[in-house]
Every structure is written in structure tokens, then in C-alpha cells.
């Protein structure tokens, strides 16, 4: 949101990209990036922020040392080839073992603690993928330091939620950045590692928490009440924000997604949307209102504030509804588990779309994102090319 010009590190006119969460739906963001790369092959994004699955895309953009169009090509190739097995173990034995451990803990009243489950799935495969595609060295991401050194990048921020303290922690790597400390959310300067990305993308219950510096962290969207604020704090006055939340019409919003009693999959999808994506929309609306307020304030009263131009992009289709077309392509054991949650009983399958890491689904999302961006290219150009 608009902030004081006098705050150190907040001057300048930098362009920022803000990448929200959404699990497998983050492939949609790649389509928008492909449109940007086609129109601006050498686009410079000095400020990059990401949360949840958006942290994966943010880290790739920040750590890759090639020109922008090559970065996006690599990111597109990653998502088009990413399978569920590369994100977490999907074999029936692994899923059964975790399920039995969870059931034993519940049925024993917590007495069985020797092999207490950390999550429903094991995300060790995702760590291996990220270490490879981000060219990590013992977990660190040297590409970020190189981009900072040559001036292609000013700062990158990845947000996590601390299960240990209940705070929202934004990990920042950059230059000339004034850190912030607000109620329940603060920033910490660190050299980013794969663990920060894994923690930010750790969907509650499904994915395990990640230990960083002796404390446990999970999905960054849980406590992030102001998703746009990290970009503003780091000096952005132009923000391109990409959400994976479909904006339903009033008619669509009033139409039930299921019949009878709500299946658990519907409850989970609704909860995740409320936690991870609704705050994104609310923060964007708040910023737009503040910008309008600054416009009408007398010059003497607005001099301590600065406007932040914002363009928020959303899917033109319901990504949860689109996910239903690819449910049959899931591995048998995992498909059986998801159907047990009621994924076949709801029309808009948000819970399934979070976990549908499948090349065909990702490719459809990339194509949709690219088409949506092209449809709004005039607005994007006005933001990207403004001074």
C-alpha cells in the first residue's frame, strides 16, 4: 500500500511482480510471463515476490541468470513436464503408510508418537527438482547473488508462515532494502535457499512443514494479511500482480457447486481459497482505494505518500472446474484418496486443482494465462512502459 517517501529504501520507481499461491494453479502465472517475454524479451523485473507455489516461480526468475525470455522458456518447460511423482511420493505404500500413521495417532489419542506423521504426503521429490532447476549449491541459490551483483535484480522476497510463533516471515535477499516489522508480519534478510521455497509452498496438512534455523515453517499464505506489502516495502511503485483466483460473476457465485451435504473436498477448497487468495483480492482493493484517496488529497497532505500503480491479473476461467477434466489422469492410489474426499461430487474442484501437478493440466493453464495476458496487453503495456 502507499507509504511514506521518507522511509529509507522506498524511493525510486521500480517495477515489481507479485506471484500469489494456488498450488498447481501457479502454472497459470507462467502463461502470463510467456506473454511478457514475447513483447519484452529483455524485460527487467528488479523486484520479485512470491508466496506458496508462486514462490517457486519467483525463485526461478530471481535465480536464473539468462535473459528474460530464456528464463520464461525454462520455467515453461519445468511446468509442462512436472508430474505429481516429481512433487511428492504417490506410490500406494507411501500414501498408505502416512494414512495409517495419522489414523493411529488419532485413534490412540496421541499416545502413538514414535512415528508421528508430519503430513499426508512426502515432498522429498520436489526438493530434488528445485535443487536441480534452481542450480543450487548445498541448498543455496547462487544465481540470485549474481543477478544482484550485475544490477538485474534489486530484491527478491519469499514469504513463509511460522508454525513456531504464528508470525508471517518474509525472507528477503537484496540491496538497499529497509526491513519492516509489523504486527504478526516481519522481514528477515537472508541468502535464500531451497528450504525457504519448500516452506513457502508447504500446503497445510498435505505437505510437511520445513525447518529453518531451528523453527518450523509452512505455506506463506496462512498469515500474510497484506500480500502486496513486501513489494511496496522494497521500493516498488508499479506492481504487476498475478492471482490464480477466478473472479466469478454474481450469477456464477450464486450457483451451488454441489448437491446435498458439502463434500470434504469442497470444504478444503473453500478454506484454502479464503486463506490464500481472498486476502490477495482484498489487499489489491485496499491499494486501489488508497491511490484514489491520494489523488484527491491537497498537495500538502499527500506529499508524505506515494501512489503505487497496480495491475492485478486473474484467470478468465474457473481453474477448479477445469481440473475436473484431468482427474482421471492422476496416479491410481492418489486418485482413490482424492475421490474419498469427494472430488467427484463438486463442480468447481479447487482442492483438486491445488494438487493436480500434471503436464496436460499445466499446459492448459499456461495457454490460458498467455491468452488472458494478450487480451489485456494494452493495460500491461501501460504499466510496464510507464516511468
Amino acid at each position: 500500500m502507499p507509504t511514506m517517501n521518507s522511509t529509507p529504501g522506498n524511493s525510486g520507481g521500480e517495477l515489481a511482480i507479485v506471484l500469489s499461491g494456488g498450488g498447481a494453479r501457479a502454472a497459470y502465472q507462467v502463461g502470463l510471463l510467456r506473454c511478457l517475454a514475447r513483447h519484452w524479451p529483455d524485460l527487467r523485473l528488479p523486484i520479485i515476490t512470491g508466496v506458496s507455489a508462486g514462490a517457486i516461480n519467483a525463485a526461478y526468475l530471481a535465480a536464473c541468470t539468462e535473459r528474460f525470455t530464456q528464463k520464461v522458456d525454462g520455467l515453461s518447460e519445468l511446468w509442462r513436464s512436472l508430474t505429481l511423482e516429481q512433487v511428492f511420493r504417490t506410490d500406494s505404500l507411501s500414501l498408505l503408510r502416512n494414512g495409517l500413521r495419522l489414523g493411529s495417532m488419532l485413534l490412540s489419542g496421541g499416545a502413538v508418537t514414535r512415528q508421528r506423521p508430519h503430513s499426508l504426503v512426502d515432498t522429498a521429490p520436489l526438493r530434488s527438482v528445485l535443487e536441480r532447476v534452481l542450480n543450487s549449491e548445498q541448498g543455496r541459490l547462487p544465481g540470485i547473488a549474481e543477478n544482484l551483483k550485475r544490477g538485474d535484480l534489486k530484491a527478491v522476497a519469499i514469504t513463509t508462515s511460522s508454525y513456531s510463533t504464528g508470525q508471517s516471515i518474509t525472507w528477503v535477499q537484496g540491496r538497499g532494502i529497509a526491513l519492516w516489522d509489523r504486527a504478526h508480519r516481519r522481514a528477515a534478510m537472508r541468502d535464500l535457499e531451497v528450504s525457504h521455497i519448500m516452506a513457502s509452498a508447504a500446503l497445510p496438512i498435505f505437505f510437511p512443514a520445513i525447518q529453518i534455523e531451528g523453527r518450523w515453517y509452512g505455506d506463506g499464505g496462512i498469515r500474510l494479511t497484506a500480500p502486496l506489502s513486501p513489494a511496496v516495502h522494497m521500493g516498488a511503485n508499479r506492481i504487476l500482480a498475478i492471482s490464480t483466483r477466478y473472479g466469478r460473476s454474481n450469477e456464477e457465485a450464486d450457483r451451488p457447486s454441489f448437491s446435498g451435504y458439502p463434500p470434504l473436498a469442497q470444504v478444503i477448497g473453500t478454506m484454502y481459497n479464503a486463506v490464500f487468495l481472498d486476502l490477495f483480492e482484498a489487499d489489491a482493493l485496499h491499494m486501489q482505494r488508497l491511490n484514489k484517496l491520494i489523488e484527491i488529497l491537497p498537495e500538502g497532505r499527500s506529499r508524505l505518500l506515494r501512489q503505487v500503480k497496480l495491475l492485478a491479473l486473474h484467470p478468465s476461467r474457473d481453474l477448479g472446474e477445469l481440473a475436473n477434466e484431468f482427474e482421471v489422469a492422476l496416479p491410481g492410489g492418489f486418485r482413490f484418496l482424492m475421490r474419498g474426499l469427494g472430488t467427484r461430487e463438486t463442480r468447481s474442484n479447487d482442492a483438486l486443482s491445488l494438487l493436480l501437478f500434471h503436464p496436460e493440466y499445466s499446459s492448459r493453464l499456461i495457454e490460458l494465462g498467455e491468452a488472458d495476458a494478450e487480451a489485456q496487453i494494452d493495460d500491461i503495456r501501460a504499466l510496464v512502459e510507464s516511468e
Side-chain angles (χ1 to χ4, degrees):
M1 51 235 39
T3 56
M4 291 186 178
N5 276 329
S6 57
T7 303
N10 276 3
S11 61
E14 303 286 14
L15 173 64
I17 189 165
V18 176
L19 302 170
S20 70
R25 289 182 288 188
Y28 173 80
Q29 299 169 349
V30 180
L32 288 142
L33 292 170
R34 283 178 59 84
C35 179
L36 291 178
R38 187 169 60 254
H39 288 273
W40 298 277
D42 293 304
L43 178 65
R44 177 175 172 267
L45 293 172
I47 297 174
I48 302 172
T49 78
V51 62
S52 192
I56 296 174
N57 293 336
Y60 194 99
L61 292 175
C64 182
T65 56
E66 299 175 309
R67 62 191 297 224
F68 181 68
T69 185
Q70 292 171 313
K71 293 182 182 185
V72 174
D73 284 344
L75 194 55
S76 179
E77 182 180 345
L78 167 64
W79 280 98
R80 290 185 188 276
S81 62
L82 192 63
T83 64
L84 205 64
E85 292 85 352
Q86 291 175 300
V87 177
F88 53 83
R89 300 190 191 282
T90 61
D91 59 282
S92 299
L93 180 60
S94 178
L95 294 173
L96 179 62
R97 181 171 57 247
N98 286 343
L100 289 176
R101 287 177 179 175
L102 179 61
S104 298
M105 185 182 69
L106 293 174
L107 293 175
S108 68
V112 178
T113 60
R114 183 178 178 182
Q115 291 184 317
R116 175 175 293 176
H118 291 170
S119 60
L120 287 177
V121 298
D122 178 359
T123 55
L126 178 60
R127 179 179 287 273
S128 297
V129 169
L130 292 180
E131 288 175 347
R132 173 176 56 82
V133 301
L134 296 176
N135 296 315
S136 73
E137 295 178 359
Q138 297 182 330
R140 294 182 179 274
L141 309 179
I144 295 179
E146 183 175 340
N147 283 329
L148 287 169
K149 183 178 180 180
R150 64 189 190 188
D152 291 340
L153 181 69
K154 178 182 179 182
V156 55
I158 301 298
T159 300
T160 62
S161 298
S162 172
Y163 289 133
S164 302
T165 66
Q167 295 176 306
S168 175
I169 308 297
T170 297
W171 308 91
V172 179
Q173 185 173 350
R175 47 185 175 80
I177 303 299
L179 299 182
W180 58 96
D181 193 345
R182 302 289 187 269
H184 304 299
R185 57 185 176 93
R186 64 182 181 85
M189 189 71 73
R190 295 289 190 280
D191 287 344
L192 293 180
E193 301 180 7
V194 171
S195 289
H196 295 106
I197 317 305
M198 290 287 296
S200 185
L203 286 169
I205 302 175
F206 284 101
F207 291 4
I210 303 298
Q211 190 173 34
I212 301 174
E213 300 176 4
R215 294 186 174 181
W216 294 94
Y217 295 87
D219 197 295
I222 298 175
R223 293 302 301 269
L224 185 57
T225 56
L228 302 176
S229 64
V232 177
H233 281 298
M234 295 190 297
N237 79 336
R238 294 173 292 151
I239 295 178
L240 179 62
I242 307 178
S243 173
T244 59
R245 178 70 180 270
Y246 171 62
R248 296 179 180 177
S249 65
N250 291 336
E251 180 183 355
E252 290 174 314
D254 290 337
R255 189 188 312 149
S257 298
F258 59 93
S259 59
Y261 191 82
L264 187 56
Q266 182 70 29
V267 175
I268 293 173
T270 301
M271 179 185 68
Y272 277 10
N273 278 339
V275 172
F276 302 135
L277 298 177
D278 287 358
L279 289 176
F280 183 93
E281 312 302 330
D283 199 28
L285 180 60
H286 181 55
M287 177 177 287
Q288 291 166 347
R289 287 175 174 172
L290 282 177
N291 282 334
K292 291 180 180 178
L293 176 63
I294 294 172
E295 287 180 359
I296 64 175
L297 282 175
E299 184 176 350
R301 295 190 177 184
S302 64
R303 60 186 175 86
L304 294 179
L305 299 171
R306 63 182 172 89
Q307 285 186 308
V308 179
K309 296 180 181 179
L310 171 67
L311 178 59
L313 303 176
H314 305 81
S316 60
R317 283 196 61 183
D318 186 333
L319 304 188
E321 187 173 335
L322 183 61
N324 286 327
E325 299 178 19
F326 301 91
E327 187 262 357
V328 295
L330 290 171
F334 187 72
R335 183 174 65 248
F336 182 80
L337 174 65
M338 294 301 293
R339 287 181 177 179
L341 297 177
T343 54
R344 304 190 77 182
E345 302 171 34
T346 176
R347 177 175 54 82
S348 181
N349 221 320
D350 290 323
L352 179 64
S353 69
L354 292 169
L355 299 168
L356 192 54
F357 295 93
H358 189 276
E360 292 183 15
Y361 182 59
S362 297
S363 295
R364 284 286 295 276
L365 296 189
I366 291 172
E367 292 167 4
L368 178 63
E370 194 166 0
D372 286 351
E374 196 61 49
Q376 301 182 70
I377 194 61
D378 290 339
D379 292 334
I380 296 174
R381 179 175 287 106
L383 180 79
V384 171
E385 297 183 358
S386 64
E387 296 183 3

